[in-house]
Amino acid sequence: MAEIEIETRGRIALLTLNRPGRRNALGDAAIAAIDRFFDRPDPAIRAVVLRAAGGHFCAGLDLQEQYERNRGPVEFMRMCQNWHRAFDRMQFGAIPVIAALKGAVVGGGLEIAAATHVRVAEPSTFFALPEGQRGVFTGGGATVRVARIITAARMIDMMIAARSYDVKRGFDLGLVHEIVGEGEAEARAIAIAEAAAEHYDVTNFAILTGIARISDMSTTDGLFAESLLAGMVMTNPDLRPSLEKFFAGKAPRLEPKAE
Ligand code: 1HE
C-alpha cells in the first residue's frame, strides 16, 4: 500500500496520507511522492484535496526512519531541503490545495498543512510543534510558513512552552479557515476544491502565487507586482462573458454568511 495514495475524481485529485498505523508520519518515500505529484501535475487537475487515513492528519517526520538511518548533519539538511522543495511546489504550484484536518497536525504535519491554501478542520484537530520536547527542531518549513501564519513570537512560545492548540484556537490563529463537524472535513474540502476548480487558471495562478510572494516584497515592489498580475488577469479574454453574466444579473449573488 502506497504511503501517499493518489486518486483522481474528474478535475480533483485526492492525495491521501496513508500510513495510519504510524499516524501518517512522513518518511523519504512519502516526501518524494508529494514532490513528484506537484512537480508535474496532470494539466487536467484543477484542485487538490489533501486528506489523511485514520484518526490523525499527520505526526510529522518519521522519527523511526530518522533513528534507524542516523543521518549526519549534511544528509539531514538535504532531507529538509527535499521537504522544502516538495512543499514549495505545493504552495506555489498554482493549483489550489484544500486540506481536510483531523486529530494530530503536529511537527512536520503542521508544516505540510501550512503549505496548503485552505484548511478545513474537524473538532478533533489539534496543533503542536513537539520538536522542542523531543530535542529536535523543525525542518520542513515551519520557521517560514507557520511563523508567518501565527507570528514568529508565538511559534517560539509554542515550542518553548510546549503548547498545543485545539481547533478553536487554531481557527483564531489562522491555522484553520473553517471548522466543520466530526467526519465532515473531507466532503467540505472536496466541495471547496470543486468550486475553486471552476475559476480561471490565470486567476488561481495570481491568487496562489501572487499573494504569498508579494508579502515577501517591499511596498513598492509588491504594488508593482500586483499591477502586473492584475494586468494579466483582467485582460484574460475569457473574462468578458463572466462580466456580461454579472451585468445581466445572472452571476451568483454574494450573501453575508457567518463562518
Ligand atoms: C510514529 C510517529 C512519528 C507516531 N514517527 N512513528 N512529531 C512528533 O513528535 C509526534 C509523535 N507522535 C505523537 O506524539 C503521537 O503518535 C500522536 C499524538 C500523533 C498520536 O498519538 P496516538 O496515541 O494516537 O498514537 P501512538 O501510540 O503514539 O503512535 C502509534 C504508532 O505510530 C506508534 O508505533 P507502534 O509501533 O507503537 O504502534 C508510534 O511509534 C508511531 N508513530 N508518530 C514514527 N512521528 C523535517 S523535520 C520535521 C520535524 C518533525 O516532524 S519531528 C516529529 C514531531
Side-chain angles (χ1 to χ4, degrees), residues 172-249:
D172 292 342
L173 295 173
L175 295 170
V176 169
H177 300 122
E178 184 177 344
I179 302 174
V180 294
E182 213 56 61
E184 293 174 5
E186 201 177 302
R188 178 66 184 134
I190 292 172
I192 293 172
E194 294 281 6
E198 295 286 330
H199 298 173
Y200 295 120
D201 278 344
V202 70
T203 307
N204 277 345
F205 175 82
I207 294 170
L208 298 173
T209 67
I211 298 171
R213 292 207 189 278
I214 288 170
S215 42
D216 271 349
M217 295 180 190
S218 67
T219 300
T220 312
D221 291 343
L223 294 175
F224 181 70
E226 184 190 68
S227 66
L228 276 176
L229 281 168
M232 193 170 77
V233 174
M234 296 297 283
T235 53
N236 168 18
D238 295 340
L239 188 63
R240 297 186 73 77
S242 157
L243 292 180
E244 283 155 16
K245 208 166 144 187
F246 173 72
F247 301 143

Side-chain angles (χ1 to χ4, degrees), residues 10-215:
R11 299 175 303 175
I12 310 292
L14 297 166
L15 245 67
T16 309
L17 308 180
N18 189 28
R19 206 184 173 205
R22 291 235 161 250
R23 306 303 182 255
N24 300 317
L26 299 168
D28 283 352
I31 296 296
I34 294 167
D35 188 51
R36 266 195 311 277
F37 177 82
F38 285 102
D39 184 23
R40 284 163 206 269
D42 177 341
I45 297 300
R46 300 179 53 86
V48 172
V49 169
L50 180 66
R51 63 180 182 174
H56 295 280
F57 179 72
C58 178
L61 174 71
D62 183 340
L63 293 166
Q64 185 78 37
E65 184 178 272
Q66 169 58 17
Y67 182 76
E68 280 159 14
R69 294 233 179 129
N70 204 14
R71 298 174 179 97
V74 173
E75 203 188 343
F76 196 83
M77 182 180 169
R78 290 224 168 97
M79 186 211 78
C80 291
Q81 289 172 328
N82 291 340
W83 283 53
H84 296 163
R85 192 180 55 240
F87 298 174
D88 260 12
R89 284 190 167 133
M90 181 188 297
Q91 186 178 2
F92 299 114
I95 300 178
V97 182
I98 322 299
L101 305 179
K102 57 186 165 180
V105 183
V106 302
L110 178 51
E111 292 177 311
I112 189 173
T116 65
H117 305 106
V118 177
R119 293 178 286 277
V120 177
E122 297 181 5
S124 62
T125 306
F126 65 97
F127 302 93
L129 289 171
E131 285 88 341
Q133 292 135 276
R134 309 237 186 275
V136 296
F137 189 57
T138 62
T143 57
V144 176
R145 279 184 261 267
V146 176
R148 283 180 191 180
I149 298 170
I150 67 173
T151 77
R154 192 179 296 279
M155 180 176 157
I156 293 170
D157 165 76
M158 195 178 178
M159 295 185 75
I160 291 294
R163 293 191 204 279
S164 82
Y165 297 135
D166 66 9
V167 73
K168 170 76 177 58
R169 195 88 179 94
F171 180 85
D172 292 342
L173 295 173
L175 295 170
V176 169
H177 300 122
E178 184 177 344
I179 302 174
V180 294
E182 213 56 61
E184 293 174 5
E186 201 177 302
R188 178 66 184 134
I190 292 172
I192 293 172
E194 294 281 6
E198 295 286 330
H199 298 173
Y200 295 120
D201 278 344
V202 70
T203 307
N204 277 345
F205 175 82
I207 294 170
L208 298 173
T209 67
I211 298 171
R213 292 207 189 278
I214 288 170
S215 42

